[in-house]
Amino acid sequence: MARGTLRIYLGAAPGVGKTYAMLSEAHRRVERGTDCVVAFVEHHHRPRTEVMLHGLEQLPRREIEYRGGTFTEMDVDAVLRRAPKVALVDELAHTNMPGSRNTKRWQDVEELLAAGIDVISTVNIQHLESLGDVVESITGVRQRETVPDEVVRRADQIELVDMSPQALRRRMAHGNIYKPDKVDAALSNYFRPGNLTALRELALLWVADRVDAHLTEYRSEHHVSAIWGSRERIVVGLTGGPEGRTLIRRAARLAEKGAGGEVMAVYISRSDGLTAVSPKELALQRTLVEDLGGTFHQVVGDDIPAALLDFARGANATQIVLGVSRRRSWQYVFGPGVGATVARESGPDLDVHLITHAEVGKGRGLPVARGARLGRSRVISGWLAGVLGPLLLTWLLKSVVPDIGLANHMLLFLTLTVAAALLGGLLPALASAVVGSTLLNWFFTPPVHTLTVADPQNIVAIVVFVGVAVAVASVVDLAARRTHQAARLRAESEILSFLAGNVLRGETGLEDLLERVRETFGMESVALLERAGEKDPWTCAGSVGPRPATTPDAADVDVPVGDHMALSLCGRVLPAADRRVLAAFAAQAAVVVDRRRLKGEADRAKELAEGNRIRTALLAAVSHDLRTPLAGIKAAVTSLRSDDVEWSEEDQAELLEAIEEGADRLDHLVGNLLDMSRLQTGTVTPIIRETDLDEVVPMALGAVPEDSVDLDVPESLPMVGVDRGLLERSVANIVENAVKYSPPGERVLVSASAMADRVEIRVVDRGPGVPDEVKDRIFEPFQRYGDAPRGDGVGLGLAVARGFAEAIGGTLHAEDTPGGGLTMVLAVRTAPGRWRERPDVSPAVTS
């Protein structure tokens, strides 16, 4: 059975018209004769959306009983039995009620698609999992209902339902989205113009990336090599020199001139070993380009212009930014340089910018990481100077300046030999000495045009010439080798020092370290393998790159680390000289793994120690604080059961009252202990709802005497998004603590006020207060400040209050009361929009 297709209407915010557009598409398909049903659509009592459901077949929903309430969800089995051609499923990111077939609605949709049913769905940009942090920083609301980006990306068709912020706010003001009594709060909170503009930009950029991915896939499938300038992409060619930072900043300014511009910095490393630049400088440039919103890439290639152009065309770039060459003027005799070559071969569809900088003409220096081997162009130049140079010099001496003497002839030929040594090393210099001595003998040593020498002095001169030429060539070649060896060692030392510093400071994770190995040695993939024993299978502790090795035998390069760990590289075989640095990388990788394990063990030990402390304190609380009310209850019950005393009705009532008070105190202590246990284990699941504070706060005062609290909670306060039960428990604990420490006759003031997007509940007492250095410590479990009586609690009230406050997205802190005392400030967020009255609904705004 063929898999069904998925079409998604994506919106920037609730109310843009996603559901309306989905229903309109359903009507068009029904008119064309398509079997289309409504599996689940939430119209939120919006009249225009509700009207669109008329004329469409709606499948019955499944009813679920939960916590005394009845709720409805999509009936997946009913949809599968009906087997329509197209099913409409609203709110893809929705979390199903406990007891449903799947946890998330997108999982229900996957079942329908697997059954061959086409699905049309809706989702808001804020519900994409990867954008959760960004949306929270914009709106102040953490989206708890999310859908994995990959689920949306796999959709066969994504249609953006767009609307300007001004138009959306007008729809809101006209009552087309929320009920009139919620409009003002929504417009002043979640639906502020800035929030809507930022969310709209997120949606547009996300869809643009999706379109870009389709374009790249199409160009790859159809082998399109020409550049399609649908979007400005700027490639910055880096050499690793200090001018790279200037080029990156200039490219970023160019990208800012066009909407959606993208900067990609690329460094071309040769395939002959270590990179020829300072890794520290390259790391700084990588950080800079990422800070400016670009991406960094490293490509292996010996022909730098060709590799750079291939990368630019593969990325569908429109511009290339290069720096003017750092070579000195005389160095241009060896070629036009990378910039000129790229500009010449770029073609008409790729613009090349050559940027001037402070390093122009200062020289590039010797290659750092190419061992003792000279460049190919220099070797060719050395052979030309060593073989063709003597022939050309012979023609000049015979034709232009004849009869200057054998000694001068020998000096000129010796000069060519030295030049060949400087350019190409020892072998071209030896060839130059042989060719030069032969030409000297044939053309300039009597008798000429023969290889015999008549004068013995000329024989000595030729022999000295050959000896001097060979000696000079050897010295020059040895100096070149030592220079390259020193440069290589310098590169190795810079790599090792930078690596060790990062690892010791804990700044490099395992994947980052393996990526550095892959880039440094130009490999395709790198993996760190480990096993428990000699006969155990290898497991991967971390890897980067495609198709990493699963065993050391399958890798091109294998570096053992101890007895049960190995660093395996795939791509090419490295020379022995590179393995020394690679061994250092392998050792550092083992250190990173060990440190990660030690950190995990330390965290577990810390958790165990904290649990130990909690258990110790709990035992102390059980042994004393819980026994006090139990002792009172036991004494009262024993007295009532005694046959020796005839209790009056007043005495019996007093004893029963003592029992009730002891039971209440015991219930309160046990409740706090259970609440603390829930907070410690992370099992507190808030049910966020739109709530009026004047309905919750009075309910929290039931455990304190009526004349001990003054309440000031205006009815005009905005609604807050909280869990009513958790908020009530938090306020109750704060008020009880304040009443306990207030002097006799002094009332505790409980007031509330709105500030920006939050509402503050302030509990003010006139007690002794606490010093500033103790204000945070009083919120820790089993902490009681001052000389509080032992029987008044176990010190969990404020700890539980803060835990519940944070669980509902609020904060709790202590301040000094002017004139003496302590003020507890509980701040909670105002409700950004209308939420459905049902459990497990996140504080995210639903569409």
CSV table of all heavy atoms in Angstrom, one decimal, residues 442-477:
chain,number,residue,atom,x,y,z
A,442,TRP,N,82.2,21.2,-24.1
A,442,TRP,CA,82.0,21.1,-25.5
A,442,TRP,C,82.2,22.5,-26.2
A,442,TRP,O,82.8,22.5,-27.3
A,442,TRP,CB,80.6,20.6,-25.8
A,442,TRP,CG,80.3,20.4,-27.2
A,442,TRP,CD1,79.7,21.2,-28.1
A,442,TRP,CD2,80.6,19.2,-28.0
A,442,TRP,NE1,79.6,20.7,-29.3
A,442,TRP,CE2,80.1,19.4,-29.3
A,442,TRP,CE3,81.1,17.9,-27.6
A,442,TRP,CZ2,80.2,18.4,-30.3
A,442,TRP,CZ3,81.2,17.0,-28.6
A,442,TRP,CH2,80.8,17.2,-29.9
A,443,PHE,N,81.6,23.6,-25.6
A,443,PHE,CA,81.7,24.8,-26.3
A,443,PHE,C,82.8,25.8,-25.9
A,443,PHE,O,83.1,26.6,-26.7
A,443,PHE,CB,80.3,25.5,-26.2
A,443,PHE,CG,79.2,24.9,-26.9
A,443,PHE,CD1,78.2,24.1,-26.3
A,443,PHE,CD2,79.0,25.0,-28.3
A,443,PHE,CE1,77.2,23.5,-26.9
A,443,PHE,CE2,78.0,24.4,-29.0
A,443,PHE,CZ,77.1,23.6,-28.3
A,444,PHE,N,83.2,25.7,-24.7
A,444,PHE,CA,84.1,26.8,-24.2
A,444,PHE,C,85.5,26.3,-23.7
A,444,PHE,O,86.3,27.1,-23.4
A,444,PHE,CB,83.4,27.5,-23.0
A,444,PHE,CG,82.1,28.1,-23.4
A,444,PHE,CD1,80.9,27.5,-22.9
A,444,PHE,CD2,82.0,29.2,-24.3
A,444,PHE,CE1,79.7,28.0,-23.3
A,444,PHE,CE2,80.8,29.7,-24.6
A,444,PHE,CZ,79.6,29.1,-24.1
A,445,THR,N,85.8,25.0,-23.7
A,445,THR,CA,87.1,24.5,-23.3
A,445,THR,C,87.8,23.9,-24.5
A,445,THR,O,87.3,23.0,-25.1
A,445,THR,CB,86.9,23.3,-22.2
A,445,THR,OG1,86.1,23.8,-21.1
A,445,THR,CG2,88.2,22.9,-21.7
A,446,PRO,N,89.0,24.5,-24.8
A,446,PRO,CA,89.8,24.0,-25.9
A,446,PRO,C,90.2,22.6,-25.7
A,446,PRO,O,90.6,22.2,-24.6
A,446,PRO,CB,91.0,25.0,-26.0
A,446,PRO,CG,90.5,26.2,-25.2
A,446,PRO,CD,89.6,25.7,-24.2
A,447,PRO,N,90.2,21.7,-26.7
A,447,PRO,CA,89.7,22.0,-28.1
A,447,PRO,C,88.1,21.9,-28.0
A,447,PRO,O,87.6,21.0,-27.4
A,447,PRO,CB,90.2,20.9,-28.9
A,447,PRO,CG,90.5,19.8,-28.0
A,447,PRO,CD,90.9,20.4,-26.6
A,448,VAL,N,87.5,23.0,-28.6
A,448,VAL,CA,86.0,23.0,-28.6
A,448,VAL,C,85.4,22.0,-29.5
A,448,VAL,O,86.1,21.4,-30.4
A,448,VAL,CB,85.5,24.4,-29.1
A,448,VAL,CG1,86.0,25.5,-28.1
A,448,VAL,CG2,86.0,24.8,-30.5
A,449,HIS,N,84.1,21.7,-29.3
A,449,HIS,CA,83.3,20.7,-30.0
A,449,HIS,C,83.9,19.3,-29.8
A,449,HIS,O,83.6,18.5,-30.7
A,449,HIS,CB,83.2,21.1,-31.5
A,449,HIS,CG,82.7,22.5,-31.7
A,449,HIS,ND1,81.4,22.9,-31.3
A,449,HIS,CD2,83.2,23.6,-32.4
A,449,HIS,CE1,81.2,24.1,-31.6
A,449,HIS,NE2,82.3,24.6,-32.3
A,450,THR,N,84.6,19.1,-28.7
A,450,THR,CA,85.0,17.8,-28.4
A,450,THR,C,84.9,17.7,-26.8
A,450,THR,O,84.9,18.7,-26.1
A,450,THR,CB,86.5,17.5,-28.8
A,450,THR,OG1,87.4,18.4,-28.1
A,450,THR,CG2,86.7,17.7,-30.3
A,451,LEU,N,84.9,16.5,-26.3
A,451,LEU,CA,84.8,16.3,-24.9
A,451,LEU,C,86.2,16.1,-24.3
A,451,LEU,O,86.3,15.8,-23.1
A,451,LEU,CB,84.0,15.1,-24.6
A,451,LEU,CG,82.5,15.2,-25.0
A,451,LEU,CD1,81.7,13.9,-24.6
A,451,LEU,CD2,81.9,16.4,-24.3
A,452,THR,N,87.3,16.3,-25.0
A,452,THR,CA,88.6,16.2,-24.5
A,452,THR,C,89.1,17.6,-24.0
A,452,THR,O,88.6,18.6,-24.5
A,452,THR,CB,89.6,15.7,-25.5
A,452,THR,OG1,89.6,16.6,-26.7
A,452,THR,CG2,89.2,14.3,-26.0
A,453,VAL,N,90.0,17.6,-23.1
A,453,VAL,CA,90.5,18.9,-22.5
A,453,VAL,C,92.0,18.9,-22.7
A,453,VAL,O,92.7,18.0,-22.2
A,453,VAL,CB,90.1,19.0,-21.0
A,453,VAL,CG1,90.6,20.3,-20.5
A,453,VAL,CG2,88.6,18.9,-20.8
A,454,ALA,N,92.5,19.9,-23.4
A,454,ALA,CA,93.9,19.9,-23.7
A,454,ALA,C,94.7,20.5,-22.5
A,454,ALA,O,95.8,19.9,-22.2
A,454,ALA,CB,94.2,20.8,-24.9
A,455,ASP,N,94.3,21.5,-21.8
A,455,ASP,CA,95.0,22.1,-20.7
A,455,ASP,C,94.6,21.4,-19.4
A,455,ASP,O,93.4,21.4,-19.0
A,455,ASP,CB,94.7,23.6,-20.7
A,455,ASP,CG,95.7,24.3,-19.7
A,455,ASP,OD1,96.4,23.7,-18.9
A,455,ASP,OD2,95.6,25.6,-19.8
A,456,PRO,N,95.5,20.9,-18.6
A,456,PRO,CA,95.2,20.3,-17.3
A,456,PRO,C,94.5,21.3,-16.4
A,456,PRO,O,93.7,20.9,-15.5
A,456,PRO,CB,96.5,19.8,-16.8
A,456,PRO,CG,97.4,19.6,-18.0
A,456,PRO,CD,97.0,20.7,-19.0
A,457,GLN,N,94.9,22.5,-16.5
A,457,GLN,CA,94.3,23.5,-15.6
A,457,GLN,C,92.8,23.6,-15.8
A,457,GLN,O,92.0,23.8,-14.9
A,457,GLN,CB,94.9,24.9,-15.8
A,457,GLN,CG,96.3,25.0,-15.4
A,457,GLN,CD,96.9,26.4,-15.5
A,457,GLN,OE1,96.3,27.2,-16.1
A,457,GLN,NE2,98.2,26.5,-15.0
A,458,ASN,N,92.3,23.5,-17.1
A,458,ASN,CA,90.9,23.5,-17.4
A,458,ASN,C,90.2,22.3,-16.8
A,458,ASN,O,89.0,22.4,-16.4
A,458,ASN,CB,90.7,23.5,-18.9
A,458,ASN,CG,91.2,24.9,-19.5
A,458,ASN,OD1,91.3,25.9,-18.8
A,458,ASN,ND2,91.5,24.9,-20.8
A,459,ILE,N,90.9,21.1,-16.8
A,459,ILE,CA,90.3,20.0,-16.1
A,459,ILE,C,90.0,20.2,-14.7
A,459,ILE,O,89.0,19.9,-14.1
A,459,ILE,CB,91.2,18.7,-16.3
A,459,ILE,CG1,91.4,18.4,-17.8
A,459,ILE,CG2,90.7,17.5,-15.5
A,459,ILE,CD1,92.4,17.2,-18.0
A,460,VAL,N,91.0,20.8,-14.0
A,460,VAL,CA,90.8,21.1,-12.6
A,460,VAL,C,89.7,22.1,-12.4
A,460,VAL,O,88.9,22.0,-11.5
A,460,VAL,CB,92.1,21.7,-12.0
A,460,VAL,CG1,91.9,22.2,-10.5
A,460,VAL,CG2,93.2,20.7,-12.0
A,461,ALA,N,89.6,23.1,-13.3
A,461,ALA,CA,88.5,24.1,-13.2
A,461,ALA,C,87.1,23.5,-13.4
A,461,ALA,O,86.2,23.8,-12.6
A,461,ALA,CB,88.7,25.2,-14.3
A,462,ILE,N,87.0,22.5,-14.3
A,462,ILE,CA,85.7,21.9,-14.5
A,462,ILE,C,85.4,21.0,-13.3
A,462,ILE,O,84.2,21.0,-12.8
A,462,ILE,CB,85.7,21.1,-15.8
A,462,ILE,CG1,85.8,22.0,-17.0
A,462,ILE,CG2,84.5,20.2,-15.9
A,462,ILE,CD1,85.9,21.3,-18.3
A,463,VAL,N,86.4,20.3,-12.8
A,463,VAL,CA,86.1,19.5,-11.6
A,463,VAL,C,85.7,20.3,-10.4
A,463,VAL,O,84.7,20.0,-9.7
A,463,VAL,CB,87.3,18.6,-11.3
A,463,VAL,CG1,87.1,17.9,-9.9
A,463,VAL,CG2,87.6,17.6,-12.4
A,464,VAL,N,86.4,21.5,-10.2
A,464,VAL,CA,86.0,22.4,-9.1
A,464,VAL,C,84.6,22.9,-9.3
A,464,VAL,O,83.8,23.0,-8.4
A,464,VAL,CB,87.0,23.5,-9.0
A,464,VAL,CG1,86.6,24.6,-8.1
A,464,VAL,CG2,88.4,23.0,-8.6
A,465,PHE,N,84.3,23.2,-10.6
A,465,PHE,CA,82.9,23.7,-10.9
A,465,PHE,C,81.9,22.7,-10.4
A,465,PHE,O,80.9,23.1,-9.8
A,465,PHE,CB,82.8,24.0,-12.4
A,465,PHE,CG,81.4,24.2,-12.8
A,465,PHE,CD1,80.7,25.4,-12.6
A,465,PHE,CD2,80.8,23.2,-13.6
A,465,PHE,CE1,79.4,25.5,-13.0
A,465,PHE,CE2,79.5,23.3,-14.0
A,465,PHE,CZ,78.8,24.5,-13.7
A,466,VAL,N,82.1,21.4,-10.8
A,466,VAL,CA,81.1,20.4,-10.5
A,466,VAL,C,81.0,20.2,-9.0
A,466,VAL,O,79.9,20.1,-8.4
A,466,VAL,CB,81.4,19.1,-11.2
A,466,VAL,CG1,80.5,18.0,-10.7
A,466,VAL,CG2,81.4,19.2,-12.7
A,467,GLY,N,82.2,20.2,-8.3
A,467,GLY,CA,82.2,20.1,-6.9
A,467,GLY,C,81.5,21.2,-6.1
A,467,GLY,O,80.7,21.0,-5.2
A,468,VAL,N,81.8,22.4,-6.6
A,468,VAL,CA,81.1,23.6,-6.0
A,468,VAL,C,79.6,23.6,-6.2
A,468,VAL,O,78.8,23.8,-5.3
A,468,VAL,CB,81.8,24.9,-6.5
A,468,VAL,CG1,80.9,26.1,-6.0
A,468,VAL,CG2,83.2,25.0,-6.0
A,469,ALA,N,79.2,23.2,-7.4
A,469,ALA,CA,77.8,23.2,-7.7
A,469,ALA,C,77.1,22.1,-6.9
A,469,ALA,O,76.0,22.4,-6.3
A,469,ALA,CB,77.6,22.8,-9.2
A,470,VAL,N,77.7,20.9,-6.8
A,470,VAL,CA,77.0,19.9,-5.9
A,470,VAL,C,77.0,20.3,-4.5
A,470,VAL,O,76.0,20.2,-3.8
A,470,VAL,CB,77.8,18.6,-6.1
A,470,VAL,CG1,77.2,17.5,-5.1
A,470,VAL,CG2,77.6,18.1,-7.5
A,471,ALA,N,78.0,20.9,-4.0
A,471,ALA,CA,78.1,21.4,-2.6
A,471,ALA,C,77.0,22.5,-2.3
A,471,ALA,O,76.3,22.4,-1.3
A,471,ALA,CB,79.5,21.9,-2.2
A,472,VAL,N,77.0,23.4,-3.2
A,472,VAL,CA,76.0,24.5,-3.0
A,472,VAL,C,74.6,24.0,-3.0
A,472,VAL,O,73.7,24.3,-2.2
A,472,VAL,CB,76.2,25.6,-4.0
A,472,VAL,CG1,75.1,26.6,-4.0
A,472,VAL,CG2,77.6,26.3,-3.8
A,473,ALA,N,74.3,23.1,-4.0
A,473,ALA,CA,73.0,22.5,-4.1
A,473,ALA,C,72.6,21.7,-2.9
A,473,ALA,O,71.5,21.8,-2.4
A,473,ALA,CB,72.9,21.6,-5.4
A,474,SER,N,73.6,21.0,-2.3
A,474,SER,CA,73.3,20.2,-1.1
A,474,SER,C,72.9,21.1,0.1
A,474,SER,O,72.0,20.8,0.8
A,474,SER,CB,74.5,19.3,-0.8
A,474,SER,OG,74.7,18.4,-1.9
A,475,VAL,N,73.8,22.2,0.2
A,475,VAL,CA,73.5,23.1,1.3
A,475,VAL,C,72.2,23.8,1.2
A,475,VAL,O,71.4,23.9,2.2
A,475,VAL,CB,74.7,24.1,1.4
A,475,VAL,CG1,74.3,25.2,2.4
A,475,VAL,CG2,76.0,23.4,1.8
A,476,VAL,N,71.8,24.2,0.0
A,476,VAL,CA,70.6,24.9,-0.2
A,476,VAL,C,69.4,24.0,0.0
A,476,VAL,O,68.4,24.3,0.7
A,476,VAL,CB,70.5,25.5,-1.6
A,476,VAL,CG1,69.1,26.0,-1.9
A,476,VAL,CG2,71.5,26.6,-1.8
A,477,ASP,N,69.5,22.7,-0.5
A,477,ASP,CA,68.4,21.8,-0.3
A,477,ASP,C,68.3,21.4,1.2
A,477,ASP,O,67.2,21.3,1.7
A,477,ASP,CB,68.7,20.5,-1.1
A,477,ASP,CG,67.6,19.5,-1.0
A,477,ASP,OD1,66.5,19.8,-1.6
A,477,ASP,OD2,67.8,18.5,-0.3
